Amino acid sequence: MASNSAVDIIETSSKVHFSGFHQMDGLVSIISDQLAEEEEHGQPFVIGVAGGAASGKTTVCDMIMQQLHDQRAVVVNQVLECDLFRFLKIQLQETSKLCVYINMMVINLVLILHHVVVYADADVRLARRIKRDTVEKGRDIATILDQYSKFVKPAFEDFILPTKKYADIIIPRGGDNHVAIDLIVQHIHTKLGQHDLCKIYPNLYVIQSTFQIRGMHTLIRDSKTTKHDFIFYSDRLIRLVVEHGLGHLPFTEKQVVTPTGSVYSGVDFCKRLCGVSVIRSGESMENALRACCKGIKIGKILIHREGDNGQQLIYEKLPSDISERHVLLLDPILGTGNSAVQAIRLLISKGVPESNIIFLNLISAPQGVNVVCKKFPRIKIVTSEIDIGLNVEFRVVPGMGEFGDRYFGTDDE
């Protein structure tokens, strides 16, 4: 089994149906051409649709695919080919080769995955099974009922029903539940629309792009934009990034009494919080943080660039109890990642848990994201856009130039 490629197994299997491709011819060459370039970055996004026999799993999957209209999505229907699915599972867990072309799989199965459970009343499922097996398979009702009582019903109660409590989503009424299916479709669209780096690093968050955000990026990236407009629209973007970053902080549930005498169940903000700005560009983000978090403590770090890659810590002033706080690290540009690495190492040396650090910036270069996420996989990075990369001078492109100079008005010097 291990000697065969995933594509060979896919093409030769007669018991598994693949939806989402216009044609299978040439699929091997497509994957082979892309494998070398994309193998490192291909990450699977899998939705397992489970449920009892005749609960509506196939109907739900078909409806999802009809609404998606995306060739990157594929449905794999499990029938009896258990060896194939064991192989697919290994491929999904241990390599990215399977998903170089198949970016997203909606798997219709009974036992392997339990992310989504399609639930239908037992009487409804039995009635559907009788109708299906008599019409499609030519079985008599006595045989169907005997098989149901001896095998199908006990197996469902022993192996499938207990997994319901672990499901991320439960869809009552199967294909009749259009609201649940629409939500799943929207979630898949969001996943497919994510930057590839977000699929590789679950701790990387890019705020959802809108025409307003794209418009503000267009203005601050334009070399002809005035200083006044650059500051104004940078501040707006920074505020959005800060708000998004605050959404990743832990919270506790809290109930309050409203002026109407009613009880509102909400959440309480994280109290142990501070900001740390990387001088000097990071200081441009302090006002937005203060506007969102009244009275917040803000520390400072100065890192001097030495040549192309070297960084030297020059100055630091941090809250004395920073080890007990969640830290929002502020720097509008993530380029090579070297300054960020120095700053994060300093915070960790002061006793700040890696998972308590949220790094906020406006734009990120893929190289910097790779460096930071690989060295510190438990921190969170929140950004508003990921750019193409770095030029020969290690500047982010297309970028927006020297952010600090443009923001503080020293670019003329």
Side-chain angles (χ1 to χ4, degrees):
M1 191 69 180
S3 61
N4 295 333
S5 71
V7 177
D8 292 334
I9 296 171
I10 289 172
E11 291 191 318
T12 57
S13 174
S14 61
K15 295 183 179 180
V16 180
H17 169 67
F18 292 83
S19 305
F21 298 115
H22 287 310
Q23 57 182 13
M24 292 298 293
D25 296 338
L27 180 58
V28 176
S29 61
I30 291 174
I31 293 184
S32 299
D33 292 342
Q34 294 184 353
L35 183 59
E37 179 180 356
E38 300 182 15
E39 184 179 39
E40 181 181 352
H41 303 296
Q43 292 291 315
F45 171 52
V46 182
I47 297 178
V49 181
S55 60
K57 301 184 299 297
T58 300
T59 300
V60 167
C61 290
D62 288 344
M63 292 177 69
I64 290 173
M65 293 300 294
Q66 289 170 8
Q67 293 186 41
L68 277 176
H69 297 295
D70 197 311
Q71 293 186 22
R72 292 173 294 172
V74 60
V75 175
V76 183
N77 291 317
Q78 178 194 20
V79 183
L80 297 173
E81 200 68 69
C82 294
D83 286 340
L84 169 64
F85 269 82
R86 279 196 292 270
F87 182 77
L88 291 178
K89 187 176 180 181
I90 292 171
Q91 290 291 306
L92 290 170
Q93 290 175 343
E94 298 183 1
T95 76
S96 60
K97 294 181 180 180
L98 180 64
C99 295
V100 170
Y101 183 76
I102 304 172
N103 296 100
M104 199 284 298
M105 303 174 69
V106 179
I107 298 187
N108 176 7
L109 67 166
V110 178
L111 293 175
I112 299 176
L113 298 174
H114 314 291
H115 291 270
V116 176
V117 170
V118 179
Y119 183 77
D121 183 81
D123 293 338
V124 173
R125 288 188 284 108
L126 177 58
R128 289 175 179 171
R129 187 178 183 89
I130 292 173
K131 181 178 180 180
R132 181 189 66 190
D133 287 5
T134 54
V135 174
E136 297 180 7
K137 301 180 181 180
R139 294 175 179 172
D140 60 83
I141 294 178
T143 302
I144 296 170
L145 292 176
D146 182 64
Q147 182 189 44
Y148 180 82
S149 60
K150 288 182 178 179
F151 303 107
V152 177
K153 186 174 184 291
F156 173 79
E157 293 174 347
D158 290 343
F159 301 109
I160 299 177
L161 187 59
T163 68
K164 183 180 176 183
K165 63 182 178 181
Y166 301 110
D168 297 306
I169 300 174
I170 297 173
I171 306 179
R173 308 188 315 281
D176 294 330
N177 195 331
H178 296 280
V179 174
I181 292 172
D182 288 344
L183 289 173
I184 293 173
V185 170
Q186 291 174 21
H187 181 68
I188 294 172
H189 275 307
T190 299
K191 282 290 186 181
L192 292 175
Q194 283 183 331
H195 192 282
D196 287 342
L197 286 175
C198 294
K199 301 171 186 175
I200 299 173
Y201 302 115
N203 54 329
L204 171 64
Y205 303 90
V206 181
I207 62 177
Q208 186 174 357
S209 182
T210 64
F211 287 123
Q212 280 288 311
I213 290 175
R214 292 285 290 169
M216 288 186 282
H217 266 282
T218 303
L219 283 163
I220 65 175
R221 291 169 183 269
D222 189 344
S223 59
K224 298 179 181 179
T225 296
T226 64
K227 176 191 171 185
H228 179 272
D229 284 348
F230 181 85
I231 294 173
F232 179 81
Y233 290 106
S234 293
D235 286 344
R236 281 188 61 187
L237 277 172
I238 291 169
R239 178 67 178 262
L240 292 174
V241 171
V242 170
E243 294 277 12
H244 194 95
L246 292 172
H248 291 283
L249 291 170
F251 63 88
T252 56
E253 294 183 359
K254 182 179 180 179
Q255 289 188 334
V256 296
V257 178
T258 71
T260 64
S262 304
V263 175
Y264 176 79
S265 297
V267 298
D268 197 12
F269 291 125
C270 174
K271 296 295 194 302
R272 307 296 294 172
L273 176 67
C274 73
V276 173
S277 61
V278 178
I279 302 173
R280 108 184 124 139
S281 296
E283 293 174 312
S284 65
M285 306 178 74
E286 293 179 2
N287 286 336
L289 182 56
R290 289 191 180 97
C292 295
C293 304
K294 184 174 64 175
I296 188 172
K297 292 185 176 181
I298 297 181
K300 295 181 184 291
I301 299 176
L302 175 60
I303 298 172
H304 175 63
R305 178 174 176 175
E306 295 179 321
D308 292 333
N309 294 309
Q311 305 287 330
Q312 180 182 0
L313 177 65
I314 302 296
Y315 170 82
E316 55 93 356
K317 181 65 175 177
L318 304 172
S320 59
D321 60 347
I322 193 170
S323 62
E324 303 171 8
R325 297 175 178 270
H326 287 264
V327 178
L328 298 175
L329 182 61
L330 312 176
D331 196 356
I333 309 296
L334 173 57
T336 62
N338 295 322
S339 295
V341 167
Q342 284 280 2
I344 294 168
R345 281 176 176 166
L346 174 63
L347 294 174
I348 293 174
S349 72
K350 298 294 184 179
V352 180
E354 185 178 314
S355 58
N356 281 11
I357 302 172
I358 302 178
F359 182 27
L360 307 181
N361 57 79
L362 287 183
I363 62 172
S364 297
Q367 293 90 332
V369 171
N370 285 317
V371 167
V372 174
C373 287
K374 286 179 179 178
K375 289 184 181 294
F376 310 105
R378 290 185 294 278
I379 78 160
K380 294 182 177 69
I381 299 178
V382 177
T383 187
S384 63
E385 276 199 353
I386 297 178
D387 275 18
I388 296 173
L390 303 175
N391 61 17
V392 293
E393 298 176 343
F394 299 97
R395 306 296 183 188
V396 180
V397 290
M400 61 180 74
E402 290 291 344
F403 185 89
D405 283 340
R406 295 186 69 187
Y407 190 91
F408 294 110
T410 56
D411 50 339
D412 292 337
E413 298 177 6

